[in-house]
Amino acid sequence: MAKKNTLDPDEAALIQWCIEVEGLLVAAGATVRQAQEHIEEQAEWFTDMFYDGLTPEEAAKEALN
């Protein structure tokens, strides 16, 4: 039987958090593509911010500096 691909709760929370950060970057003037590319290129940095407990708003502010 094939193993079902499921995300663990931390991965799901990280993805949701990144979606929220993306929305805030777009609201600040980035295109969706620009926001996605930035998050992808800086994935480790964003992951660190997530695990450090930053809110999506705080992370977006850091990304815009």
Side-chain angles (χ1 to χ4, degrees):
M1 182 180 268
K3 183 178 176 184
K4 189 174 186 178
N5 289 335
T6 58
L7 296 175
D8 72 33
D10 284 344
E11 288 175 318
L14 174 59
I15 291 168
Q16 182 58 44
W17 183 89
C18 285
I19 290 169
E20 292 178 40
V21 172
E22 177 187 312
L24 293 164
L25 295 176
V26 170
T31 66
V32 171
R33 185 76 182 137
Q34 289 170 329
Q36 289 173 348
E37 285 178 356
H38 184 62
I39 292 169
E40 289 170 9
E41 290 169 359
Q42 300 295 325
E44 187 174 326
W45 183 57
F46 280 100
T47 301
D48 288 345
M49 287 193 286
F50 171 78
Y51 284 109
D52 286 344
L54 272 70
T55 65
E57 292 81 6
E58 292 167 332
K61 184 177 178 181
E62 288 290 321
L64 293 168
N65 286 331

